[in-house]
Amino acid sequence: MSWEDKIFCGRELVPAIITDCENGEVLMLAYMNRESFKKTLETGKTWFFSRSRNTLWNKGETSGHWQYVKSVKSDCDNDTLLISVKQIGPACHTGARSCFFNIITEGK
């Protein structure tokens, strides 16, 4: 069974956590379908599936803020991907380096 078959077995979409290859910072979370997963592996750049637009999108295609894939890992259940990238520019559409900048609480 291929990795693709293991990951998408009975699933249309899987979450993909994107991290910076240099420091491990979590940059964003997006969703992948089979096609975006294949395109990511083939091109070495991240491709995702937009749930709101119901289409594929290539991170950086319009912004120039590319993500060059350094590694792709699956979790123990093969239902979540962890993708380490070389990030060019900000990862978030707001212009922030990471999409995770809203602090709800911090340890005391």
Side-chain angles (χ1 to χ4, degrees):
M1 182 179 283
S2 71
W3 277 109
E4 180 185 335
D5 289 337
K6 288 179 186 179
I7 292 164
F8 292 97
C9 180
R11 300 181 217 26
E12 288 189 35
L13 298 174
V14 295
I17 302 164
I18 312 303
T19 63
D20 187 300
C21 68
E22 295 176 3
N23 60 21
E25 178 183 18
V26 175
L27 299 173
M28 58 182 282
L29 178 132
Y31 290 87
M32 288 186 151
N33 64 4
R34 280 183 183 263
E35 186 178 358
S36 63
F37 179 73
K38 285 183 200 176
K39 287 177 87 73
T40 295
L41 296 181
E42 289 169 2
T43 65
K45 293 180 183 176
T46 54
W47 284 81
F48 303 108
F49 182 81
S50 170
R51 297 174 299 162
S52 61
R53 295 187 313 265
N54 199 34
T55 189
L56 293 186
W57 60 281
N58 180 211
K59 181 65 174 165
E61 188 171 39
T62 56
S63 66
H65 301 151
W66 299 104
Q67 294 177 336
Y68 295 97
V69 176
K70 298 300 178 182
S71 70
V72 177
K73 298 177 182 178
S74 177
D75 73 337
C76 58
D77 296 323
N78 292 321
D79 63 2
T80 303
L81 297 170
L82 180 63
I83 303 176
S84 176
V85 300
K86 170 71 177 168
Q87 177 68 47
I88 305 302
C92 186
H93 74 281
T94 65
R97 171 97 179 128
S98 167
C99 293
F100 294 93
F101 55 82
N102 293 312
I103 299 170
I104 296 171
T105 187
E106 292 185 302
K108 298 175 182 170

